[in-house]
Amino acid sequence: MTTLHTEIASPLGPLLVTGRPSATAPGGTALTSLSVPGQKNAPASHGIRDHAAFAEAERQLTAYFAGEARGFDLEFAVEGTEFRRRVWDALDAVPYGATTTYGELAARIGASRAAVRAVGGAVGANPLLVLRPCHRVIGADGSLTGYAGGLDRKRVLLALEGAGAPATA
């Protein structure tokens, strides 16, 4: 399978976007990752550099960062365990401008309270920063908690969405 990549400018710094051709995806490319410089576990750019393949993703991201869009209509092609996919689906359901906690995510997917740490691991493994809103997950006490892209970027995203940026613990 052909892997494509490009960088898209954003208020968070350059976004490395990877994907693969898809006949069903808006713009023709299904996204496999979106990462920021210095991100923990960020994929390396590989495959063919093709900025045009990500024109639709760039258009939607630009609208989001300009405050003109609240969501994305893009196809994702990411792999993960069934548990991670359930957590990621629950992340996708967190509305723009809202926040949730790891415990609330665990409850949404029917996991036990003891699974909160595993939910945190699945959130941290999200390969689609910004697009899949893991930045909307905060600590049970309302504090900011880990974010693969860094807490400063998490604050920017929450402020952009009007969710407020709680103080760090």
Side-chain angles (χ1 to χ4, degrees):
M1 175 75 49
T2 302
T3 301
L4 308 170
H5 74 275
T6 196
E7 282 191 358
I8 297 173
S10 85
L12 305 177
L15 305 175
L16 172 63
V17 186
T18 65
R20 61 181 186 223
S22 170
T24 58
T29 304
L31 305 183
T32 55
S33 72
L34 185 148
S35 58
V36 296
Q39 176 181 326
K40 186 171 83 174
N41 301 324
S45 60
H46 59 281
I48 301 165
R49 184 177 184 95
D50 184 352
H51 193 76
F54 297 94
E56 181 59 19
E58 182 174 31
R59 184 190 70 73
Q60 291 187 36
L61 284 160
T62 299
Y64 169 80
F65 286 119
E68 300 166 357
R70 294 178 165 232
F72 303 97
D73 180 23
L74 298 166
E75 184 177 311
F76 304 147
V78 296
E79 296 181 17
T81 65
E82 180 182 335
F83 180 80
R84 283 185 175 178
R85 288 192 312 269
R86 285 180 23 225
V87 171
W88 296 340
D89 287 345
L91 278 176
D92 289 339
V94 179
Y96 179 98
T99 58
T100 192
T101 66
Y102 297 98
E104 290 167 351
L105 283 177
R108 282 186 195 162
I109 66 168
S112 71
R113 191 77 182 137
V116 170
R117 183 171 289 247
V119 167
V123 170
N126 170 24
L128 294 163
L129 292 191
V130 182
L131 301 171
R132 178 165 282 139
C134 55
H135 59 275
R136 297 178 188 154
V137 183
I138 60 174
D141 63 358
S143 65
L144 289 185
T145 55
Y147 183 62
L151 292 181
D152 288 342
R153 289 185 178 109
K154 185 172 188 163
R155 281 187 195 90
V156 168
L157 292 168
L158 290 174
L160 171 74
E161 294 184 4
T168 53

